[in-house]
Short mmCIF file of all heavy atoms in Angstrom, two decimals:
data_model
loop_
_atom_site.label_atom_id
_atom_site.label_comp_id
_atom_site.label_asym_id
_atom_site.label_seq_id
_atom_site.Cartn_x
_atom_site.Cartn_y
_atom_site.Cartn_z
N VAL A 95 118.23 23.67 34.45
CA VAL A 95 118.74 23.41 33.11
C VAL A 95 117.79 24.02 32.10
O VAL A 95 116.57 23.85 32.21
CB VAL A 95 118.86 21.88 32.85
CG1 VAL A 95 119.22 21.60 31.41
CG2 VAL A 95 119.88 21.26 33.79
N ASP A 96 118.34 24.75 31.15
CA ASP A 96 117.59 25.25 30.00
C ASP A 96 118.15 24.57 28.76
O ASP A 96 119.37 24.50 28.60
CB ASP A 96 117.76 26.77 29.83
CG ASP A 96 116.94 27.59 30.80
OD1 ASP A 96 116.27 26.99 31.68
OD2 ASP A 96 116.98 28.82 30.70
N TYR A 97 117.25 24.10 27.90
CA TYR A 97 117.67 23.50 26.64
C TYR A 97 116.86 24.13 25.51
O TYR A 97 115.63 24.05 25.50
CB TYR A 97 117.44 21.98 26.66
CG TYR A 97 117.91 21.30 25.40
CD1 TYR A 97 119.25 20.96 25.25
CD2 TYR A 97 117.04 21.03 24.36
CE1 TYR A 97 119.70 20.35 24.08
CE2 TYR A 97 117.47 20.42 23.19
CZ TYR A 97 118.80 20.09 23.06
OH TYR A 97 119.25 19.49 21.90
N GLU A 98 117.55 24.78 24.59
CA GLU A 98 116.90 25.44 23.47
C GLU A 98 116.57 24.40 22.40
O GLU A 98 117.46 23.81 21.80
CB GLU A 98 117.78 26.56 22.94
CG GLU A 98 118.02 27.60 24.02
CD GLU A 98 118.49 28.93 23.49
OE1 GLU A 98 118.09 29.33 22.38
OE2 GLU A 98 119.27 29.56 24.21
N MET A 99 115.28 24.19 22.19
CA MET A 99 114.80 23.15 21.30
C MET A 99 114.94 23.56 19.83
O MET A 99 114.91 24.74 19.50
CB MET A 99 113.35 22.82 21.64
CG MET A 99 113.19 22.25 23.03
SD MET A 99 111.49 22.16 23.61
CE MET A 99 110.72 21.20 22.34
N THR A 100 115.09 22.53 18.98
CA THR A 100 115.17 22.75 17.54
C THR A 100 114.19 21.84 16.82
O THR A 100 113.72 20.83 17.37
CB THR A 100 116.59 22.47 17.00
OG1 THR A 100 116.93 21.11 17.28
CG2 THR A 100 117.62 23.40 17.60
N SER A 101 113.90 22.20 15.59
CA SER A 101 113.09 21.37 14.70
C SER A 101 113.73 21.46 13.32
O SER A 101 113.97 22.57 12.82
CB SER A 101 111.65 21.88 14.65
OG SER A 101 110.90 21.11 13.73
N GLY A 102 114.06 20.33 12.74
CA GLY A 102 114.71 20.32 11.45
C GLY A 102 116.05 21.04 11.45
O GLY A 102 116.47 21.61 10.46
N GLY A 103 116.73 21.03 12.59
CA GLY A 103 118.03 21.68 12.71
C GLY A 103 117.98 23.18 12.92
O GLY A 103 119.01 23.83 13.03
N GLU A 104 116.77 23.75 12.98
CA GLU A 104 116.61 25.19 13.18
C GLU A 104 116.05 25.46 14.57
O GLU A 104 115.26 24.68 15.09
CB GLU A 104 115.64 25.77 12.13
CG GLU A 104 116.06 25.53 10.70
CD GLU A 104 117.29 26.33 10.28
OE1 GLU A 104 117.55 27.38 10.88
OE2 GLU A 104 118.00 25.87 9.35
N LEU A 105 116.44 26.59 15.15
CA LEU A 105 115.90 26.97 16.46
C LEU A 105 114.38 27.05 16.38
O LEU A 105 113.82 27.62 15.44
CB LEU A 105 116.47 28.31 16.91
CG LEU A 105 117.88 28.28 17.44
CD1 LEU A 105 118.37 29.69 17.74
CD2 LEU A 105 117.98 27.42 18.69
N ALA A 106 113.72 26.50 17.39
CA ALA A 106 112.26 26.47 17.43
C ALA A 106 111.69 27.58 18.32
O ALA A 106 110.48 27.67 18.48
CB ALA A 106 111.78 25.11 17.92
N GLN A 107 112.55 28.39 18.91
CA GLN A 107 112.13 29.48 19.79
C GLN A 107 111.39 28.97 21.03
O GLN A 107 110.50 29.63 21.56
CB GLN A 107 111.27 30.51 19.04
CG GLN A 107 111.92 31.08 17.80
CD GLN A 107 113.27 31.72 18.06
OE1 GLN A 107 113.46 32.42 19.04
NE2 GLN A 107 114.23 31.47 17.19
N LEU A 108 111.76 27.77 21.49
CA LEU A 108 111.21 27.20 22.71
C LEU A 108 112.37 26.70 23.58
O LEU A 108 113.32 26.12 23.06
CB LEU A 108 110.30 26.01 22.41
CG LEU A 108 108.99 26.30 21.71
CD1 LEU A 108 108.27 24.99 21.40
CD2 LEU A 108 108.09 27.20 22.54
N VAL A 109 112.24 26.91 24.88
CA VAL A 109 113.26 26.45 25.82
C VAL A 109 112.61 25.49 26.81
O VAL A 109 111.66 25.85 27.51
CB VAL A 109 113.91 27.63 26.58
CG1 VAL A 109 114.90 27.13 27.61
CG2 VAL A 109 114.58 28.58 25.60
N LEU A 110 113.12 24.26 26.85
CA LEU A 110 112.69 23.28 27.83
C LEU A 110 113.43 23.59 29.13
O LEU A 110 114.65 23.72 29.13
CB LEU A 110 113.05 21.87 27.35
CG LEU A 110 112.84 20.72 28.33
CD1 LEU A 110 111.40 20.63 28.79
CD2 LEU A 110 113.28 19.41 27.69
N GLN A 111 112.67 23.76 30.22
CA GLN A 111 113.27 24.12 31.51
C GLN A 111 112.98 23.05 32.55
O GLN A 111 111.82 22.69 32.78
CB GLN A 111 112.74 25.48 31.97
CG GLN A 111 113.10 26.59 31.02
CD GLN A 111 112.55 27.94 31.44
OE1 GLN A 111 111.45 28.05 31.97
NE2 GLN A 111 113.34 28.98 31.21
N LEU A 112 114.06 22.57 33.15
CA LEU A 112 113.99 21.54 34.18
C LEU A 112 114.77 22.01 35.40
O LEU A 112 115.63 22.88 35.30
CB LEU A 112 114.59 20.23 33.69
CG LEU A 112 114.03 19.64 32.40
CD1 LEU A 112 114.87 18.45 31.96
CD2 LEU A 112 112.58 19.24 32.58
N GLU A 113 114.46 21.38 36.52
CA GLU A 113 115.17 21.67 37.77
C GLU A 113 115.60 20.34 38.37
O GLU A 113 114.86 19.34 38.27
CB GLU A 113 114.18 22.38 38.71
CG GLU A 113 114.76 23.20 39.78
CD GLU A 113 113.66 23.99 40.48
OE1 GLU A 113 112.88 23.39 41.22
OE2 GLU A 113 113.60 25.20 40.26
N PHE A 114 116.76 20.32 38.98
CA PHE A 114 117.28 19.11 39.62
C PHE A 114 117.67 19.47 41.04
O PHE A 114 118.54 20.33 41.25
CB PHE A 114 118.48 18.57 38.83
CG PHE A 114 118.09 18.12 37.45
CD1 PHE A 114 118.05 19.03 36.40
CD2 PHE A 114 117.73 16.81 37.21
CE1 PHE A 114 117.67 18.63 35.13
CE2 PHE A 114 117.34 16.40 35.94
CZ PHE A 114 117.31 17.31 34.90
N LEU A 115 117.00 18.84 42.01
CA LEU A 115 117.20 19.18 43.42
C LEU A 115 117.96 18.06 44.10
O LEU A 115 117.61 16.87 43.97
CB LEU A 115 115.84 19.40 44.10
CG LEU A 115 114.95 20.46 43.42
CD1 LEU A 115 113.58 20.49 44.07
CD2 LEU A 115 115.62 21.82 43.47
N TYR A 116 119.01 18.44 44.84
CA TYR A 116 119.81 17.46 45.56
C TYR A 116 118.98 16.85 46.69
O TYR A 116 118.33 17.56 47.45
CB TYR A 116 121.07 18.10 46.14
CG TYR A 116 121.98 18.70 45.09
CD1 TYR A 116 122.46 20.00 45.20
CD2 TYR A 116 122.36 17.97 43.97
CE1 TYR A 116 123.30 20.55 44.25
CE2 TYR A 116 123.19 18.51 43.00
CZ TYR A 116 123.66 19.80 43.14
OH TYR A 116 124.47 20.35 42.19
N GLN A 117 119.04 15.53 46.80
CA GLN A 117 118.33 14.80 47.85
C GLN A 117 119.35 14.25 48.85
O GLN A 117 120.51 14.02 48.50
CB GLN A 117 117.52 13.66 47.23
CG GLN A 117 116.48 14.12 46.22
CD GLN A 117 115.45 15.03 46.84
OE1 GLN A 117 114.63 14.59 47.64
NE2 GLN A 117 115.50 16.31 46.50
N PRO A 118 118.91 14.01 50.09
CA PRO A 118 119.85 13.55 51.13
C PRO A 118 120.61 12.28 50.75
O PRO A 118 121.77 12.14 51.07
CB PRO A 118 118.96 13.31 52.35
CG PRO A 118 117.73 14.11 52.11
CD PRO A 118 117.56 14.21 50.62
N GLU A 119 119.98 11.37 50.04
CA GLU A 119 120.64 10.10 49.70
C GLU A 119 121.56 10.23 48.49
O GLU A 119 122.08 9.24 47.99
CB GLU A 119 119.61 8.99 49.49
CG GLU A 119 118.67 9.20 48.34
CD GLU A 119 117.45 10.10 48.62
OE1 GLU A 119 117.36 10.69 49.70
OE2 GLU A 119 116.60 10.22 47.72
N GLY A 120 121.77 11.46 48.00
CA GLY A 120 122.71 11.69 46.91
C GLY A 120 122.11 11.68 45.52
O GLY A 120 122.78 12.00 44.55
N ARG A 121 120.84 11.32 45.40
CA ARG A 121 120.23 11.34 44.07
C ARG A 121 119.63 12.73 43.80
O ARG A 121 119.65 13.59 44.66
CB ARG A 121 119.19 10.24 43.92
CG ARG A 121 117.94 10.40 44.76
CD ARG A 121 116.92 9.29 44.44
NE ARG A 121 115.58 9.75 44.76
CZ ARG A 121 114.80 10.46 43.95
NH1 ARG A 121 115.21 10.78 42.75
NH2 ARG A 121 113.59 10.85 44.33
N LEU A 122 119.12 12.89 42.59
CA LEU A 122 118.51 14.16 42.19
C LEU A 122 117.00 14.00 42.05
O LEU A 122 116.53 12.99 41.51
CB LEU A 122 119.07 14.63 40.84
CG LEU A 122 120.53 15.04 40.82
CD1 LEU A 122 120.97 15.32 39.38
CD2 LEU A 122 120.76 16.27 41.68
N ARG A 123 116.25 14.98 42.51
CA ARG A 123 114.81 15.04 42.26
C ARG A 123 114.63 15.83 40.98
O ARG A 123 114.99 17.00 40.90
CB ARG A 123 114.09 15.70 43.43
CG ARG A 123 112.60 15.73 43.25
CD ARG A 123 111.89 15.89 44.59
NE ARG A 123 110.48 15.73 44.44
CZ ARG A 123 109.83 14.57 44.32
NH1 ARG A 123 110.51 13.45 44.35
NH2 ARG A 123 108.53 14.54 44.18
N ARG A 124 114.07 15.19 39.96
CA ARG A 124 113.92 15.79 38.63
C ARG A 124 112.55 16.46 38.53
O ARG A 124 111.52 15.80 38.70
CB ARG A 124 114.04 14.71 37.55
CG ARG A 124 115.36 13.95 37.63
CD ARG A 124 115.32 12.64 36.88
NE ARG A 124 114.26 11.81 37.46
CZ ARG A 124 113.73 10.75 36.86
NH1 ARG A 124 114.13 10.37 35.67
NH2 ARG A 124 112.77 10.06 37.44
N VAL A 125 112.55 17.77 38.23
CA VAL A 125 111.31 18.55 38.19
C VAL A 125 111.14 19.17 36.81
O VAL A 125 112.02 19.90 36.35
CB VAL A 125 111.32 19.66 39.27
CG1 VAL A 125 110.01 20.44 39.25
CG2 VAL A 125 111.60 19.08 40.66
#
Side-chain angles (χ1 to χ4, degrees):
V95 172
D96 283 4
Y97 183 83
E98 298 198 34
M99 297 168 56
T100 60
S101 177
E104 302 291 334
L105 283 175
Q107 305 304 318
L108 292 176
V109 176
L110 172 59
Q111 297 179 324
L112 305 172
E113 202 172 72
F114 296 86
L115 305 173
Y116 300 130
Q117 300 299 290
E119 64 277 6
R121 69 175 205 85
L122 293 173
R123 183 158 188 79
R124 303 162 301 162
V125 181

